[in-house]
Amino acid sequence: MSTQAQLTTARRWWALAVIAAAQFMVIMDTSIIGIALPKMQAELGFSQENLSWVFNAYVIAFGGLLLLGGRLSDLLGARRVFAAGWAVLLAGSVIAGAAGNVAVELAGRAVQGGGAALIAPSALTLLMMLFGASPRELTKALAVYGAAAPAGGTAGVFLGGVITEYISWPWVFYINIPIAIVALIAVPALMPAAPARSGSVDLLGSATVTAGLAAAVYAIVQAPEVGWTSGRTGGVFAVAAALLAGFVFIQSRRTEPLMRLGIFRAPNLAAANIAQLLLGAAWVPMWFFLNLYLQQVLGYSAFPSGAALLPMTTLIMLGMVVLAPRAMQRFGAKPMIVTGLIVLGLGLAIMSLVRPTGNFWIDVLPASLVAAGGMSLAFIPSLGTAISAARPEEGGLASGIVNVSYQVGSAVGLAAMTAVATALGADQTGDLPELTNGFSAAFLGAAVIALAGAGITAVTMRATAQEQVTATA
């Protein structure tokens, strides 16, 4: 291999490191605030019912603007949008860290979510540009990218606890600043450029889908407090449904829509996105309630609680980087996704047996490792199939759609399992049997979601195992 070829290869893998860092940051920013919330509540004046919006403001802006981010990536070039996303994330982190009241804090979190919505689809498009020519390298690159997500989630919990305890809560946001600066410096040198394409941006469609998703998440989050059958909940759901239906109508009439509806006719794109949606709906509630079980029932503080998640994270990363690429080449995507969701469901079912007098070695570690094994099997094949099923010129759109699927699944799954857990005792702080009953119900509900995902994938995903390998390549 020539020196120039070696430099080119090294550059591509350094570029992958920046792309993986982007995925790490996007996921970390959803989890790092958890431990810091009580101090933020005391200093900024959040009410108990409004505190969850520190999380929701980020998730709604992220999920609602992902399709716009994907469209901009296709029109303006992925490298430009990727760099812009880091700049917006940096600005949002400064605002959120320096906030002195509730309104500014939520604005900062929404700006962070907007930056993440630009980063996520453009990062996947850049990954496809860098590694799409080699099926073997593409699978490895997707594995590294996928492993960055659980690493970011666990690092967020761990770092959030350390920063809140030993420094101060604004630094859960300021920690993004040096990473964003390094990324902005690295992007021009490492990322491939793509020429801008002519086309329009559907701002009305973007506003409609963002508002619709925001209304849906708001209804789900508020339902446990005001009642699922209340007129308020039904009214907000009706508004959400009307906005989302309006978005579909707008897309069907636009000559250059934000989301071309015909994209879902691509073989297996819809099936892969459903798998990603249900994977997020099962995995995120498990991670959320496992952290609560460790702290509220087993009595772990922030630092050991984060450390207790490290074995699970390590297994996921090894599974995605080492096992998943080899298994993909041998078995194909569909068997991997179905098997992974079944194994995840089994791990969650075992986790539902947690006890109020339990311990980490019996009640947490075995079940969490089984669940982690399932996640590592299912995530990469479903992600790769969802991206590669679209036409090359719609790579940004496909990346945006699959990110929306996972984020919406995560938000809806967490809201639904929170309602289940609350109804069965998880709101009884200090009552360990009642808390455990609620957490157990959430784990069992997540197991049902995972198993339903396996069944739906088995029915809806077409083509042979070999054809799935070809599609991913």
Side-chain angles (χ1 to χ4, degrees), residues 275-369:
Q276 277 276 309
L277 185 145
L278 295 175
L279 191 61
W283 178 260
V284 170
M286 184 277 293
W287 170 84
F288 181 84
F289 285 105
L290 180 57
N291 191 46
L292 290 181
Y293 176 74
L294 288 167
Q295 293 190 56
Q296 296 183 1
V297 177
L298 300 189
Y300 285 27
S301 62
F303 185 87
S305 179
L309 300 177
L310 290 178
M312 177 174 66
T313 304
T314 302
L315 179 60
I316 291 176
M317 295 177 69
L318 288 174
M320 287 186 178
V321 174
V322 178
L323 176 61
R326 297 177 181 177
M328 277 283 291
Q329 293 172 11
R330 180 170 182 179
F331 301 109
K334 179 177 178 178
M336 291 274 291
I337 299 169
V338 173
T339 301
L341 284 165
I342 290 173
V343 173
L344 173 59
L346 176 62
L348 289 165
I350 297 172
M351 197 175 291
S352 71
L353 303 176
V354 290
R355 301 165 299 163
T357 57
N359 64 70
F360 170 77
W361 301 103
I362 296 175
D363 295 79
V364 175
L365 183 62
S368 68
L369 293 180

Side-chain angles (χ1 to χ4, degrees), residues 60-75 81 113-114 116-118 120-122 200-203 205-210 213 244 247-248 251 257-261 263-264 269 273 394-405 407-408:
I60 289 171
F62 183 22
L65 296 173
L66 271 166
L67 293 176
L68 178 62
R71 175 65 174 166
L72 291 174
S73 180
D74 289 335
L75 290 179
V81 175
L118 296 176
S122 57
S200 62
V201 178
D202 181 8
L203 295 178
S206 178
T208 304
V209 71
T210 302
L213 290 174
L244 293 175
F247 169 71
V248 173
Q251 301 312 289
L258 184 67
M259 183 179 71
R260 185 178 65 85
L261 299 180
I263 193 173
F264 289 102
L269 187 140
N273 274 279
E394 292 184 318
L397 174 59
S399 300
I401 291 172
V402 71
N403 273 285
V404 168
S405 297
Q407 293 301 325
V408 169

Side-chain angles (χ1 to χ4, degrees), residues 26-434:
V26 165
I27 302 302
M28 186 180 74
D29 277 338
T30 65
S31 63
I32 197 170
I33 62 160
I35 305 297
L37 286 176
K39 289 192 175 181
M40 293 173 65
Q41 180 179 18
E43 292 189 23
L44 299 180
F46 279 96
S47 64
Q48 184 63 36
E49 58 270 21
N50 289 333
L51 189 60
S52 64
W53 284 97
V54 180
F55 174 81
N56 292 330
Y58 178 90
V59 172
I60 289 171
F62 183 22
L65 296 173
L66 271 166
L67 293 176
L68 178 62
R71 175 65 174 166
L72 291 174
S73 180
D74 289 335
L75 290 179
L76 304 179
R79 188 172 77 174
R80 293 186 184 91
V81 175
F82 188 68
W86 279 107
V88 173
L89 180 65
L90 189 156
S93 299
V94 172
I95 295 169
N101 57 61
V102 170
V104 175
E105 181 60 45
L106 295 185
R109 287 293 284 166
V111 173
Q112 281 188 305
L118 296 176
I119 289 172
S122 57
L124 278 172
T125 302
L126 288 167
L127 186 149
M128 296 295 291
M129 292 170 64
L130 288 163
F131 298 97
S134 170
R136 184 180 297 272
E137 287 189 347
L138 176 59
T139 303
K140 290 180 180 178
L142 283 171
V144 172
Y145 176 87
T154 299
V157 175
F158 188 76
L159 289 174
V162 172
I163 290 170
T164 302
E165 187 167 348
Y166 296 110
I167 308 178
S168 62
W169 68 261
W171 281 94
V172 301
F173 304 115
Y174 291 153
I175 193 175
N176 294 339
I177 296 173
I179 300 174
I181 291 173
V182 171
L184 286 169
I185 294 171
V187 165
L190 296 176
M191 298 301 171
R197 293 172 30 221
S198 61
S200 62
V201 178
D202 181 8
L203 295 178
L204 178 60
S206 178
T208 304
V209 71
T210 302
L213 290 174
V217 173
Y218 178 80
I220 294 170
V221 169
Q222 295 296 306
E225 179 183 349
V226 302
W228 285 93
T229 59
S230 70
R232 177 176 169 183
T233 300
V236 178
F237 271 127
V239 170
L243 286 168
L244 293 175
F247 169 71
V248 173
F249 177 80
I250 291 169
Q251 301 312 289
S252 68
R253 293 294 185 270
R254 292 275 187 179
T255 56
E256 294 187 76
L258 184 67
M259 183 179 71
R260 185 178 65 85
L261 299 180
I263 193 173
F264 289 102
R265 290 197 291 269
N268 288 330
L269 187 140
N273 274 279
I274 292 172
Q276 277 276 309
L277 185 145
L278 295 175
L279 191 61
W283 178 260
V284 170
M286 184 277 293
W287 170 84
F288 181 84
F289 285 105
L290 180 57
N291 191 46
L292 290 181
Y293 176 74
L294 288 167
Q295 293 190 56
Q296 296 183 1
V297 177
L298 300 189
Y300 285 27
S301 62
F303 185 87
S305 179
L309 300 177
L310 290 178
M312 177 174 66
T313 304
T314 302
L315 179 60
I316 291 176
M317 295 177 69
L318 288 174
M320 287 186 178
V321 174
V322 178
L323 176 61
R326 297 177 181 177
M328 277 283 291
Q329 293 172 11
R330 180 170 182 179
F331 301 109
K334 179 177 178 178
M336 291 274 291
I337 299 169
V338 173
T339 301
L341 284 165
I342 290 173
V343 173
L344 173 59
L346 176 62
L348 289 165
I350 297 172
M351 197 175 291
S352 71
L353 303 176
V354 290
R355 301 165 299 163
T357 57
N359 64 70
F360 170 77
W361 301 103
I362 296 175
D363 295 79
V364 175
L365 183 62
S368 68
L369 293 180
V370 174
M375 179 65 167
S376 65
L377 290 175
F379 187 84
I380 299 302
S382 56
L383 177 67
T385 301
I387 297 170
S388 60
R391 301 188 307 224
E393 65 271 20
E394 292 184 318
L397 174 59
S399 300
I401 291 172
V402 71
N403 273 285
V404 168
S405 297
Y406 188 84
Q407 293 301 325
V408 169
S410 299
V412 173
L414 179 57
M417 292 306 101
T418 298
V420 170
T422 301
L424 294 176
D427 60 339
Q428 302 298 315
T429 304
D431 189 331
L432 297 189
E434 289 295 323

